[in-house]
Amino acid sequence: MAQCEYCGRNINFLSKKYYVYPAKMKGSLEITQATIICKDCISKYLTGSDKSEFDKRSNIAILIVKKDFKEALKVLESVFDKENEADWYSKGNILLNLGDAGEALECYDEALFLDTHYIKAWYRKGHVLFCMMKFMDSAKCFENVVELEGGGNTGRKLTGWGFPALFCCMIAWISANNELVNKGKPSKEVYATTGMWVDKCHSLLTRPLPVYEDERGNLKYVTLVSPELNETQFVDYCVANFHKILDEIEPSVVAEFKSLEDFEKEH
Ligand SMILES: [Zn+2]
């Protein structure tokens, strides 16, 4: 019989088990194994079902779309639950939009401390670290996204976070490699890792990809980079057009809150 790792009670074999992924240490870049917990414990740490709170949280997403980040932060703080990773994630996104990357990073770390399988938080953290020029840590965050999204398997639909993470991972490794070369300290290991990600991205981005889904759920194919480019030209093109390519493939930012139902769908 399984035991809840939070409250210690036995979980009857007919009851549902829940899997959560807390980190061992705040700020760690590691993905952790599942911790099994019972329904009572999972309910405690997910967003409450209180109606007025639900309305407030829905309003946060609207305020973010309207780019009223100050008001969004105020509303979020009025319902904020520090045991809820989605609140930390939303707060991080809002702070990032208000130009406070340092505090945003702390929020993503709090989210990932609660859940090392929080794909979007890894993705955002990867971007913040990239902007802070911490390229290798940034690359590790993007690698985590790719791993959690199924290894960048090209057989899957390329909507979601795995594909943009694959691309960002390549850019982060290229930047890490360039930085070392500029300092006169080239590393064979970094060069080889960079090459591996360039190979993956080159073969993917130069062919028609099912990147978009229209309203009816049909896939739309897009070729992001001309197949005529060799790998060196490809790298130059990707670095020069980093944001343009990312705009095409990155899901848009919204606040989120998780209900038990969402949680069950995801895990
Ligand atoms: Zn429990």
Side-chain angles (χ1 to χ4, degrees):
M1 194 183 292
Q3 218 174 22
C4 172
E5 291 185 44
Y6 281 8
C7 68
R9 273 184 299 191
N10 287 330
I11 306 173
N12 182 295
F13 75 99
L14 288 174
S15 311
K16 203 162 162 34
K17 287 189 287 240
Y18 294 86
Y19 299 92
V20 293
Y21 303 88
K24 294 191 186 94
M25 240 174 60
K26 210 167 279 180
S28 161
L29 294 169
E30 302 305 319
I31 296 170
T32 53
Q33 298 292 314
T35 297
I36 298 170
I37 65 174
C38 69
K39 188 159 185 163
D40 285 346
C41 287
I42 189 77
S43 303
K44 265 179 238 159
Y45 107 104
L46 291 170
T47 309
S49 52
D50 180 68
K51 176 80 170 76
S52 74
E53 198 185 307
F54 182 86
D55 289 346
K56 279 190 187 170
R57 285 173 189 280
S58 312
N59 196 28
I60 296 169
I62 296 168
L63 288 166
I64 290 180
V65 172
K66 289 184 183 160
K67 299 198 183 296
D68 189 351
F69 299 111
K70 278 193 179 152
E71 190 57 29
L73 187 60
K74 240 190 251 171
V75 178
L76 178 60
E77 274 168 352
S78 74
V79 291
F80 201 82
D81 174 2
K82 61 183 173 41
E83 298 301 318
N84 184 324
E85 68 265 30
D87 277 0
W88 285 113
Y89 172 74
S90 301
K91 188 173 179 182
N93 289 345
I94 293 169
L95 288 168
L96 201 56
N97 278 290
L98 287 169
D100 196 339
E103 264 200 70
L105 183 61
E106 280 175 32
C107 291
Y108 298 137
D109 278 341
E110 294 286 351
L112 291 163
F113 183 57
L114 293 166
D115 181 8
T116 65
H117 285 220
Y118 200 165
I119 289 172
K120 284 176 261 189
W122 282 123
Y123 186 83
R124 295 291 165 211
K125 179 173 173 170
H127 274 286
V128 174
L129 290 173
F130 185 84
C131 293
M132 293 175 168
M133 299 181 70
K134 294 181 180 166
F135 300 126
M136 285 210 239
D137 283 353
S138 163
K140 171 68 180 148
C141 293
F142 291 127
E143 283 179 358
N144 286 347
V145 176
V146 173
E147 186 181 335
L148 292 169
E149 286 273 59
N153 181 349
T154 56
R156 287 163 51 125
K157 274 193 292 184
L158 292 169
T159 49
W161 300 89
F163 182 48
L166 194 77
F167 177 66
C168 292
C169 192
M170 172 186 78
I171 298 290
W173 277 113
I174 290 170
S175 307
N177 183 62
N178 288 350
E179 192 183 38
L180 289 176
V181 170
N182 290 339
K183 282 184 185 159
K185 294 178 188 165
S187 148
K188 262 188 197 165
E189 204 186 324
V190 172
Y191 182 78
T193 310
T194 307
M196 182 192 82
W197 288 100
V198 169
D199 274 350
K200 274 190 198 191
C201 287
H202 182 252
S203 71
L204 261 177
L205 272 72
T206 52
R207 61 172 126 119
L209 293 171
V211 177
Y212 298 110
E213 247 179 281
D214 65 18
E215 313 79 59
R216 289 198 206 104
N218 297 319
L219 294 179
K220 288 192 175 177
Y221 286 77
V222 177
T223 303
L224 293 158
V225 181
S226 163
E228 324 232 304
L229 303 187
N230 66 32
E231 280 200 2
T232 312
Q233 294 166 325
F234 170 78
V235 166
D236 290 343
Y237 180 85
C238 288
V239 171
N241 294 279
F242 177 41
H243 292 287
K244 189 182 145 209
I245 295 172
L246 210 52
D247 279 348
E248 300 251 5
I249 60 180
E250 188 181 80
S252 52
V253 182
V254 287
E256 69 168 1
F257 50 95
K258 284 183 181 171
S259 64
L260 190 57
E261 201 179 304
D262 296 331
F263 188 86
E264 287 181 350
K265 258 184 256 160
E266 271 176 39
H267 289 76

